[in-house]
């Protein structure tokens, strides 16, 4: 009988650990670096594979206090990933399949007006720039002329903009999870 209770307790502890970790990831609290510092989360939305790989692989993310939490090759996937991770920073292209970058920015702004958005595009169109600026983007980099230093500088500015700001936009289902936390913990005692 004692071993059954121990096994049952271990299973509940395992379930709670998985649940707690999922909540922390969902809340954005599971972004602590090895040195204990907060890492801002980044979503890269770019349909060109080489550009996406270049961004995720050549930028010293941890040195900037950031971590790439998701990548997307189209706008619809980017929106799904945004809803899942609620990143602090989004790097997005304008021309993407499924949903273009302007529509993505518009959707993100309805969900989270505080998210820092950087546009990386090959479009030198003033109307596109103007439209994206009206949606409160933080930067617009041209693929043809941008350098790694330009990207790092834009990311540093984004980090400085976020520093000290408390995020208020959380996934809608997190309130349900947090309300049931006490109930769930009661089962462990």
């Amino acid at each position: 009988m004692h071993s059954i209770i121990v096994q049952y307790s271990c299973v509940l502890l395992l379930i709670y650990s998985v649940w707690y970790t999922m909540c922390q990831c969902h809340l954005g609290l599971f972004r602590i670096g090895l040195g204990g510092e907060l890492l801002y989360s980044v979503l890269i939305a770019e349909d060109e594979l080489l550009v996406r790989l270049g961004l995720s692989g050549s930028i010293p993310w941890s040195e900037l206090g950031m971590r790439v939490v998701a990548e997307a090759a189209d706008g619809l996937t980017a929106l799904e990933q945004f809803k899942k991770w609620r990143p602090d920073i989004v790097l997005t292209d304008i021309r993407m399949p499924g949903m273009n970058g302007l529509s993505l920015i518009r959707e993100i702004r309805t969900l989270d007006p505080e998210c820092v958005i950087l546009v990386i595009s090959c479009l030198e169109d003033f109307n596109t720039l103007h439209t994206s600026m009206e949606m409160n983007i933080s930067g617009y980099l041209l693929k043809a002329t941008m350098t790694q230093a330009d990207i790092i500088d834009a990311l540093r500015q984004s980090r400085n903009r976020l520093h000290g700001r408390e995020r208020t936009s959380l996934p809608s289902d997190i309130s349900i999870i947090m309300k049931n936390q006490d109930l769930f913990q009661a089962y462990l005692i």
Side-chain angles (χ1 to χ4, degrees):
M1 181 68 169
H2 182 266
S3 65
I4 293 173
I5 293 173
V6 170
Q7 289 175 348
Y8 180 72
S9 297
C10 288
V11 168
L12 283 178
L13 184 59
L14 176 64
I15 291 169
Y16 178 75
S17 296
V18 170
W19 173 83
Y20 183 77
T21 301
M22 288 173 57
C23 287
Q24 296 302 310
C25 289
H26 216 46
L27 279 169
L29 301 175
F30 197 65
R31 297 179 304 196
I32 307 299
L34 296 176
E37 74 282 1
L38 174 70
L39 297 176
Y40 292 109
S41 57
V42 178
L43 164 64
I44 299 172
E46 169 61 60
D47 62 324
E48 295 179 46
L49 177 63
L50 293 179
V51 175
R52 198 169 61 248
L53 290 174
L55 287 169
S56 62
S58 68
I59 304 298
W61 296 106
S62 59
E63 291 176 23
L64 293 169
M66 300 175 188
R67 176 181 298 159
V68 176
V69 294
E71 296 179 18
D74 63 80
L76 292 173
T77 303
L79 184 58
E80 289 172 14
Q81 292 298 316
F82 182 84
K83 288 176 180 178
K84 177 180 178 182
W85 293 101
R86 291 298 171 122
D88 300 299
I89 301 168
V90 173
L91 289 168
T92 184
D93 191 3
I94 294 295
R95 286 190 180 161
M96 293 185 292
M99 174 189 288
N100 69 38
L102 293 175
S103 297
L104 175 63
I105 295 168
R106 199 170 289 112
E107 290 291 324
I108 288 172
R109 283 291 171 243
T110 62
L111 297 169
D112 185 354
E114 301 166 4
C115 179
V116 173
I117 300 174
L118 297 172
V119 173
I120 297 177
S121 181
C122 61
L123 298 176
E124 294 186 55
D125 176 31
F126 177 76
N127 290 332
T128 303
L129 173 61
H130 186 269
T131 302
S132 59
M133 294 298 279
E134 286 179 336
M135 290 186 276
N136 196 27
I137 65 165
S138 298
Y140 194 99
L141 299 166
L142 290 173
K143 290 180 188 177
T145 59
M146 72 181 183
T147 64
Q148 184 181 26
D150 294 333
I151 299 167
I152 291 172
D153 186 49
L155 290 167
R156 278 193 182 120
Q157 289 176 18
S158 299
R159 180 192 61 210
N160 294 341
R161 183 175 176 184
L162 286 167
H163 190 69
R165 183 192 313 172
E166 185 176 324
R167 296 294 302 273
T168 57
S169 298
L170 294 173
S172 59
D173 58 344
I174 201 64
S175 60
I176 296 167
I177 293 170
M178 296 311 290
K179 285 178 187 173
N180 293 322
Q181 181 179 7
D182 294 333
L183 179 64
F184 191 79
Q185 285 179 338
Y187 283 108
L188 294 176
I189 298 173

